[in-house]
Amino acid sequence: MKSHDTIIILDYGAQYSQLIARRVREANVYSHLVSWSTPAAEVLAHNPKGFILSGGPNSVYDDGAPTLPDYVLKSGLPILGICYGMQLLAHRLGGKVSYSQHREYGPAALLVDQVDDPLFRGWEIEGQSARGNLQQVWMSHGDKVEALPDGFRPLAHSDNSPFAAAADVARNYYAVQFHPEVVHTTQGSRLLSNFVHHICGCGADWTPVNFIEEQVTAIREQVGNGRVVLGLSGGVDSAVAAALIHRAIGEQLTCIFVDHGLLRQGEAAQVVETFQREQGMNLIAINAVEEYLDALDGVTDPEQKRRLIGEKFVRIFEREANKLGQIDFLAQGTIYPDVIESAGKGKKDAHVIKTHHNVGGLPDDMDFELVEPLRELFKDEVRTIGTALGLPDSIIWRQPFPGPGLAIRCLGQITWERLERLRQADAIFVDELRQADMLRLGTQQSFAVLLPVKSVGVMGDGRTYQEVIALRAVTTEDFMTADWARLPYDLLAKVSRRIVNEVAGVNRVVLDITSKPPGTIEWE
Ligand code: XMP
C-alpha cells in the first residue's frame, strides 16, 4: 500500500483501543493499532508521525505493568497518552501517579484552562459556568496523575482530576485522563483530529477514493496476469472485496457462491442478480442444497452443525476451484477486526462459546497466495468503500448473518420443510420491521428462530399441535454485548398474527427477552 501519514496506537489493553483507531481514521488519517510490546523495528517501519498510548486495566505500580518503550520517547515524535497512557507518560517522565482503589466512572464536566492550545481548536462551547466553559467528557479510571513531570503544564481540569489534560508543548507530549474516543466525550473526535492534524502534522489523505485507487493499483501489481478465486457469501465483506478486485482485474476474478439452502428468503437469488447481472462478474453459483441436507440429516447438536457446515464449504469450494484450472490467488474479505482478533488469539485462555465459521475462512494448507484488500479497514469503512463501488444498500447495510446460516436458527432436526417454515416466518418479521422503519433504527439484528417444541392451539374449531417460532431482536453497538429490542406491542401483535395465519405448521409465537450476556444473540 502507498504510504500514508500514519499514527501508531500502542494498545495497553483498553476496551476502547479499536475505537481510538477508528476515530483517527474518521479524521482521514491512517492509524495502526499494535500491542505496546511489539518490537521497535516493526513499529517504526510504518514511519509514524505520532503515537497515541491507549488506556488499560493496569496501575503503573502493578508488578509487570506494561511500560512505555524507549524508542517511543527517542523518536522525538508527538505523543498523546490517554488514561493509563497518561499515567504511564507522567510516571516515566518523573511525575507522580496516585494509586486508588476507587474508580471514577462516567460523565464529568471538563473546564478548559488553556483555550488556545491546539488540542482544543474548534471545540464547540457546550455550557457556561461561573468558572468558564464546561465540556462533557467520559472518565473511567482509578489511578490519576497527582504531580506533573517537569516541562508539563495543566491544560484542563475536572472536579476529580486536577490534571484532566496536560502537555509539554515544547516536546509535543500531550496527555488526557478522560477518553476522547468514546461518543460521551462530546468534543473527543475533534480533540483526536486536532492532535493528528495540528500537533503531528498529518495530512487528510485517508479517504475512500484514495483507498480504491491505491488498492486497484496494488491488486494489479500483486496479481499480474494471474487468476483469482473468491468465495462469495452475500455478506458485506466478501461482497466489497469482490467488487474492488473486479474493478482492478475484471475477468481474471471468478467468484464462487455456494448455495447451501440455509440462506434467508430470496437471498441466493439476490446474490446472483447483484454480482452476475448488475456487476457483470464471473460468478459460479453452486446449488449444494441436497448435499448439505444429507450431511445435516439427523444432526441436532449445535457445535456439530457448525463443524459440518464449515467442513462441507471447504470441500465444495476446493472441488469447484479445482475445476477452474490454474488458479494462483485466493481472495478473502478479511477485515481489520479479524486481523486484530486473530493476532490476539492464543494469548488468552478463552472458552470456546461457539465455533465461528465464516464462509471464506479456509484452511491454511490451501495452495494459493492470498489477496485481502480490506485487511486494513473497519466495518464502517468497508461499507463506505462498498457504496463508492456502487453496491446496493440491501447488501451494504445487511444485518450480520452467521456463516452456518439458518441451520443454527432451526433448532433440532434440519429438514427442508422446517427450513421453509422458518424462512417464511423470518421474512414476515423482517417485512413488518422494514415497514415500521425499525429495521435499522430499532434493532441491529432481528430474526426468527424455529424451536423443536410443539404446543397445543385452537384454530377454527379444531385442535392444533404445531411448532413454535421465537422472535429475536437486539440492540447492540458491537455484537459483543446486546440488549433485547423494545419493539412496539402493536408491531409484535401484527407479526405474531401473520405468522400463525400464514405459516403452515406454526401455531405459537414467543418473544426472546434475554440480554447478552447471559444469552448469546443466536440460539445455537
Ligand atoms: P452470538 O450468538 O455469539 O453472535 O452472540 C454474535 C454475532 O456473531 C454472529 N455469528 C456469526 N457470524 N459466523 C459468523 O460470521 C458464525 O459462525 C457466527 N455465529 C454467530 C451473530 O449473528 C451475531 O451477529
Side-chain angles (χ1 to χ4, degrees):
M1 195 170 67
K2 201 181 110 193
S3 78
H4 288 269
D5 286 350
T6 298
I7 295 292
I8 290 289
I9 297 151
L10 292 187
D11 184 6
Y12 286 94
Q15 267 170 291
Y16 307 126
S17 303
Q18 283 206 27
L19 271 184
I20 306 174
R22 278 177 54 181
R23 296 285 172 259
V24 171
R25 291 188 186 189
E26 281 162 16
N28 299 118
V29 173
Y30 179 67
S31 64
H32 193 68
L33 179 68
V34 297
S35 162
W36 66 275
S37 57
T38 307
E42 211 176 293
V43 176
L44 294 173
H46 290 277
N47 199 14
K49 297 206 80 168
F51 291 96
I52 298 181
L53 318 177
S54 85
N58 291 86
S59 161
V60 293
Y61 297 116
D62 288 347
D63 278 345
T67 54
L68 179 57
D70 282 339
Y71 73 87
V72 175
L73 292 173
K74 282 194 192 135
S75 72
L77 293 168
I79 302 174
L80 170 66
I82 296 176
C83 197
Y84 180 76
M86 172 187 212
Q87 294 151 19
L88 198 57
L89 195 59
H91 183 63
R92 175 65 187 273
L93 297 173
K96 189 163 185 306
V97 175
S98 68
Y99 180 76
S100 164
Q101 292 200 323
H102 303 289
R103 285 192 88 73
E104 180 190 7
Y105 184 82
L110 184 81
L111 269 156
V112 176
D113 305 304
Q114 300 293 334
V115 286
D116 295 331
D117 191 275
L119 212 51
F120 306 117
R121 199 174 287 179
W123 276 37
E124 281 159 23
I125 292 168
E126 291 164 21
Q128 299 269 357
S129 80
R131 295 174 295 164
N133 298 328
L134 294 175
Q135 316 279 350
Q136 181 183 289
V137 295
W138 190 260
M139 294 284 189
S140 175
H141 65 107
D143 295 2
K144 64 184 174 201
V145 174
E146 208 171 74
L148 292 173
D150 286 347
F152 274 74
R153 64 172 179 168
L155 299 179
H157 68 276
S158 68
D159 283 347
N160 278 314
S161 297
F163 307 123
D168 176 339
V169 288
R171 289 189 285 181
N172 278 326
Y173 291 165
Y174 281 78
V176 292
Q177 184 55 72
F178 54 90
H179 288 270
E181 68 278 22
V182 304
V183 287
H184 314 288
T185 297
T186 38
Q187 305 295 313
S189 292
R190 189 151 284 153
L191 182 148
L192 288 168
S193 171
N194 285 340
F195 176 71
V196 298
H197 291 297
H198 302 310
I199 297 166
C200 301
C202 294
D205 63 358
W206 183 250
T207 61
V209 174
N210 282 351
F211 178 84
I212 292 172
E213 281 172 9
E214 284 164 23
Q215 281 304 323
V216 163
T217 309
I219 293 166
R220 284 181 186 153
E221 268 172 26
Q222 184 188 0
V223 170
N225 292 322
R227 289 178 66 202
V228 183
V229 67
L230 177 144
L232 206 56
S233 68
V236 60
D237 302 342
S238 63
V240 175
L244 186 54
I245 296 168
H246 184 247
R247 177 162 298 188
I249 57 165
E251 292 284 299
Q252 287 164 257
L253 170 71
T254 303
C255 296
I256 297 181
F257 166 60
V258 179
D259 179 2
H260 49 24
L262 305 167
L263 293 174
R264 289 167 294 188
Q265 205 168 66
E267 252 174 351
Q270 192 205 14
V271 169
V272 175
E273 173 67 27
T274 306
F275 293 95
Q276 207 165 49
R277 291 202 240 305
E278 288 173 22
Q279 301 266 326
M281 289 186 200
N282 281 332
L283 173 72
I284 300 178
I286 307 296
N287 183 336
V289 177
E290 289 301 326
E291 228 174 300
Y292 273 89
L293 285 177
D294 283 349
L296 290 166
D297 188 28
V299 179
T300 55
D301 177 67
E303 279 298 292
Q304 208 187 340
K305 282 182 186 172
R306 283 172 172 273
R307 261 195 314 276
L308 273 170
I309 292 167
E311 284 164 15
K312 190 122 219 75
F313 176 78
V314 172
R315 273 201 297 273
I316 294 177
F317 187 87
E318 258 177 329
R319 190 177 71 205
E320 295 304 322
N322 285 337
K323 287 187 197 161
L324 295 172
Q326 176 63 34
I327 292 285
D328 316 278
F329 299 90
L330 174 71
Q332 295 193 142
T334 314
I335 69 171
Y336 198 44
D338 304 333
V339 176
I340 298 175
E341 197 183 299
S342 44
K345 277 211 180 106
K347 285 193 185 151
K348 272 187 236 130
D349 208 5
H351 283 197
V352 174
I353 311 287
K354 294 174 185 181
T355 312
H356 273 223
H357 139 94
N358 291 312
V359 176
L362 294 166
D364 299 338
D365 60 359
M366 288 188 87
D367 193 18
F368 295 119
E369 193 182 318
L370 289 179
V371 181
E372 299 183 309
L374 312 179
R375 270 181 82 84
E376 306 285 341
L377 302 188
F378 286 108
K379 194 81 165 189
D380 36 9
E381 294 176 303
V382 173
R383 292 201 164 104
T384 311
I385 300 291
T387 303
L389 288 166
L391 289 175
D393 278 2
S394 53
I395 290 207
I396 296 296
W397 290 102
R398 260 177 58 132
Q399 290 187 350
F401 186 64
L406 295 183
I408 57 166
R409 296 176 180 173
C410 185
L411 275 50
Q413 304 274 359
I414 294 171
T415 62
W416 186 250
E417 190 192 5
R418 294 191 76 229
L419 285 171
E420 281 292 283
R421 198 170 283 162
L422 173 57
R423 248 189 287 272
Q424 281 175 30
D426 188 70
I428 291 173
F429 189 25
V430 171
D431 181 42
E432 289 298 333
L433 283 165
R434 187 176 293 118
Q435 285 193 38
D437 228 4
M438 301 285 291
L439 200 52
R440 253 164 70 189
L441 300 177
T443 160
Q444 281 67 51
Q445 200 170 4
S446 38
F447 50 88
V449 181
L450 182 65
L451 306 187
V453 173
K454 283 189 172 179
S455 78
V456 175
V458 52
M459 267 192 199
D461 290 327
R463 174 187 192 268
T464 57
Y465 187 52
Q466 295 178 338
E467 290 192 305
V468 181
I469 282 285
L471 301 177
R472 179 67 160 153
V474 296
T475 53
T476 175
E477 272 188 26
D478 53 13
F479 300 87
M480 308 283 285
T481 62
D483 198 5
W484 57 280
R486 309 307 199 255
L487 298 176
Y489 282 172
D490 289 348
L491 171 72
L492 291 169
K494 191 162 176 208
V495 172
S496 164
R497 200 165 50 239
R498 279 194 60 193
I499 289 176
V500 287
N501 283 329
E502 294 173 32
V503 183
V506 175
N507 68 352
R508 192 177 292 271
V509 176
V510 299
L511 179 67
D512 180 352
I513 52 167
T514 322
S515 63
K516 171 184 178 178
T520 52
I521 295 175
E522 305 287 348
W523 278 44
E524 286 194 334

